[in-house]
Amino acid sequence: MRLGYSMSYWGGAGLGPADHLALVREAERLGYESVWAAETYGTDPASLMAWIAGQTERIALGTGVLQMSGRKPVVAAMTAATIDQVSGGRARLGVGVSGPQVVEGWHGERFDRPVARARDYLSVLRLALAGRPVSYSGATTTLPLPGGQGKELSLGVSPVQKHLPVYLGAMGPKTTALAGELADGWLAIHFPPEHLAERTAHLRAGAARAGRSLDGFDVAPMILTLVDEDEELAFDMMRPMLALYLGGMGSRRTNFYNRLARSLGFEKEAEAVQEAFLGGRQGEASPAPRRRRAAAR
């Protein structure tokens, strides 16, 4: 098992850029294999990875994840290739479809056909990173633009890595299968270990569809972790973050994290957290103490 460090979202806990950099350097010193930065509507993870590249030596630099709606796939390829160049071959490109709250509210695009969009995005991304002329026709994307004056273009800078790893952030069975089909890795989140085998079956189905195996495929789950001698205090400190994901990361109609919790058998708890959070009762939104959650299982 290899350890990665997630920088999460900036602005919380009173940490500034120097604090985050110190944590990344400490993770590198301790032998962590990679560091990842997320994207919402705040700090730009690609800029952070380029900044960290010049101040670290070994640790791999990942975006977890870039929002597909915010960058064209060729722009994501340019970004990843540039970070790979300045870091000496340490870039990892994680992308994901995000959700309607951000896609429609922040980027001004309709959140529709996410699986088809992800398929087209990854396909174009692969062409660009391989240095091939980008010519593609899919359900949501066609390059070059038909009837226009454009021509096939190739990425003008090559990554240091012969094959720059591309990860897909996915929670549902269809997007998870797509990761197995087209990506090099799967960025999972909030998955209890006992449910991993079921999701791995979706990866295998996707890989089989592409006529390949999962040899060398990287499963990189994000697990909320806090170490403290007082176990109950540690759980108490984690609950607000879970409440944010289950209650606030999406609209009432569409919250993929809440939907995931329901699929894992926590229907009543997920509904209660969401109702409290969206009702402005954040103090009530934190999940129940660990002993009650264990009994619910």
Side-chain angles (χ1 to χ4, degrees), residues 19-218:
D19 303 303
H20 284 285
L21 179 60
L23 289 170
V24 173
R25 284 175 164 169
E26 179 65 5
E28 182 176 60
R29 186 189 71 80
L30 292 172
Y32 278 60
E33 191 260 352
S34 56
V35 58
W36 300 81
E39 179 175 43
T40 51
Y41 37 90
T43 48
D44 171 46
S47 299
L48 293 179
M49 291 299 100
W51 174 60
I52 291 171
Q55 302 178 83
T56 53
E57 298 178 356
R58 177 197 56 78
I59 198 165
L61 310 167
T63 57
V65 297
L66 292 184
Q67 299 163 2
M68 293 180 179
S69 56
R71 303 168 199 255
K72 300 291 187 183
V74 291
V75 176
M78 294 162 60
T79 299
T82 302
I83 295 174
D84 209 47
Q85 282 278 350
V86 300
S87 67
R90 291 186 280 146
R92 294 184 179 178
L93 179 59
V95 296
V97 297
S98 190
Q101 187 177 52
V102 172
V103 173
E104 297 183 359
W106 188 242
H107 297 296
E109 295 184 2
R110 288 295 177 196
F111 185 80
D112 59 0
R113 296 187 291 173
V115 178
R117 290 185 182 277
R119 174 178 294 281
D120 291 345
Y121 197 99
L122 290 173
S123 298
V124 172
L125 191 57
R126 284 294 195 201
L127 287 173
L129 286 174
R132 297 168 57 187
V134 177
S135 177
Y136 180 81
S137 179
T140 68
T141 301
T142 301
L143 289 169
L145 187 67
Q149 302 178 58
K151 64 176 183 179
E152 296 178 7
L153 297 173
S154 302
L155 185 62
V157 58
S158 299
V160 173
Q161 300 174 83
K162 186 175 181 180
H163 187 87
L164 193 152
V166 174
Y167 291 71
L168 180 63
M171 287 185 283
K174 292 182 179 178
T175 47
T176 302
L178 188 64
E181 180 181 354
L182 296 179
D184 301 300
W186 173 42
L187 294 174
I189 187 170
H190 300 170
F191 275 100
E194 60 268 26
H195 292 275
L196 189 59
E198 175 188 346
R199 297 297 179 176
T200 303
H202 297 309
L203 292 174
R204 290 198 182 96
R209 193 162 58 205
R212 66 172 187 166
S213 72
L214 291 178
D215 291 344
F217 188 88
D218 194 12

Side-chain angles (χ1 to χ4, degrees), residues 226-235:
L226 193 147
V227 179
D228 195 277
E229 292 183 358
D230 187 333
E231 188 179 71
E232 204 56 42
L233 174 63
F235 276 102

